[in-house]
Amino acid sequence: MGEVAEEALMRALHEEHAAALWSYALHLTSGDRIRAEDVVQETLLRAWRSPAVLDQSQGSARAWLFTVARRIAIDGWRSASARSEVTTDRPPDRVVADGTDRAVQGWLVAEALAELSERHREVLLLCYFHGYSVADAALKLGVAEGTVKSRTHYALRALRLVLEERGVTQ
């Protein structure tokens, strides 16, 4: 196919289908005009690269264009969900770690620990906050190591439940 004939077919394809393709692309992109323009442009570019499309009848060319547009929109949606870009006219503020989050978490855990039984609270304090090993905690508490392990297990479960009730964890 000659360059002039190809150009004429491309113009005819654009005149016949561009408005419908634009409307469809706008629907596919939930009204995002910029993304819809990109979808239409990419679809027509792919049609230009596939001369067999230019020779198709009106109905089958439109079906091909709509199928390609849908695939482009889906690919765009998939890549956008993998990385989301935020366009802004100024850079984001720098986050300064001031320890507030850590302090709030500490208060929440302290309040939750206060709701545990004495045995559960003391085993968690020894093992997690003071860094005692199971053997050292067992000596300190005067119980068997297995008892420390068991209390730790149930204490953590109880702590998680208290935090869930307060809406801290899920």
Side-chain angles (χ1 to χ4, degrees):
M1 182 182 319
E3 188 175 320
V4 174
E6 190 176 291
E7 184 178 321
L9 285 173
M10 193 64 193
R11 282 186 197 279
L13 184 75
H14 185 273
E15 288 173 10
E16 288 288 325
H17 305 291
L21 185 59
W22 164 252
S23 178
Y24 183 62
L26 201 55
H27 170 73
L28 289 173
T29 60
S30 300
D32 185 337
R33 298 177 72 79
I34 293 171
R35 282 183 40 219
E37 286 176 8
D38 290 343
V39 168
V40 170
Q41 188 174 32
E42 180 64 25
T43 301
L44 291 174
L45 179 64
R46 290 184 187 183
W48 178 66
R49 290 180 182 160
S50 303
V53 175
L54 301 177
D55 290 335
Q56 295 181 16
S57 67
Q58 180 180 356
S60 59
R62 181 170 287 192
W64 186 92
L65 290 169
F66 277 38
T67 301
V68 170
R70 183 175 180 276
R71 287 180 182 156
I72 292 168
I74 289 170
D75 289 345
W77 176 78
R78 285 179 181 158
S79 66
S81 65
R83 56 143 177 73
S84 62
E85 295 180 9
V86 176
T87 305
T88 181
D89 60 344
R90 49 187 196 122
D93 296 331
R94 290 195 173 263
V95 176
V96 179
D98 63 355
T100 305
D101 287 341
R102 189 176 177 122
V104 170
Q105 287 175 349
W107 288 330
L108 292 170
V109 170
E111 288 176 352
L113 280 170
E115 291 189 29
L116 299 182
S117 70
E118 179 66 31
R119 287 181 173 183
H120 286 165
R121 186 173 40 256
E122 68 185 357
V123 77
L124 289 181
L125 289 173
L126 287 175
C127 293
Y128 286 93
F129 292 96
H130 297 296
Y132 280 51
S133 68
V134 171
D136 291 340
L139 283 174
K140 177 94 172 154
L141 296 171
V143 296
E145 291 180 22
T147 302
V148 171
K149 291 177 184 179
S150 176
R151 284 184 190 171
T152 302
H153 170 78
Y154 289 110
L156 288 172
R157 229 169 91 184
L159 182 63
R160 186 184 73 230
L161 289 173
V162 170
L163 291 171
E164 284 177 359
E165 287 173 1
R166 293 171 178 250
V168 177
T169 62
Q170 296 175 342

